[in-house]
Amino acid sequence: MPEIPAELLAPQPKAVRPRKPRGKASAASKPKGVLDLVLQQLDDAKAEQIVTIPLDDKSAVADALVVASGRSNRHVGAIADQLVQKLKEKGYRDLRIEGVPQCDWVLVDAGDVIVHIFRPEVRSFYNLEKLWSVHAPGAPPAT
């Protein structure tokens, strides 16, 4: 099983978010800190090898991608359930969840943050960290 590079496991610097337009849409926006909330909940649920990948220059779909591992199908399902429950408690209602019946790979889309929770074998097979890393083909060179 390939190891995850140390540079991907290191904490990432916080990105500066662009200012959102004022008006009715911004009044109904969700409270800040969804990434912090997700990371705290993953840590509380004993998720392993948590990696945060900022998507600022790569995609407009989300601001960050979080990849984590669980030890088994049950652990992956429990991590996902606890994360969804915590997000709903904090007011995040429009969540999208995929992969819960099998729990090999569960995706939780919280809008600004997309969370992937894997079993270790599945994580090494798909290797999302390499796909979305700074050194991925087609990515701008790191300076």
Side-chain angles (χ1 to χ4, degrees), residues 18-30:
R19 190 171 177 182
K20 293 187 179 182
R22 296 179 186 210
K24 289 183 180 180
S26 67
S29 68
K30 295 181 174 37

Side-chain angles (χ1 to χ4, degrees), residues 17 20 28-35 37 87 90-92 112:
R17 292 186 182 196
K20 293 187 179 182
S29 68
K30 295 181 174 37
K32 291 186 179 182
V34 66
L35 180 59
L37 179 66
L87 288 169
K90 296 296 183 178
Y92 294 89
D112 291 340

Side-chain angles (χ1 to χ4, degrees), residues 76 98-100 103-107 116-119 122 126 128:
V76 169
E98 294 289 331
V100 174
C103 292
D104 285 334
W105 173 5
V106 177
L107 180 136
H116 296 270
I117 308 165
F118 290 100
R119 278 189 314 112
V122 179
Y126 288 104
L128 289 184

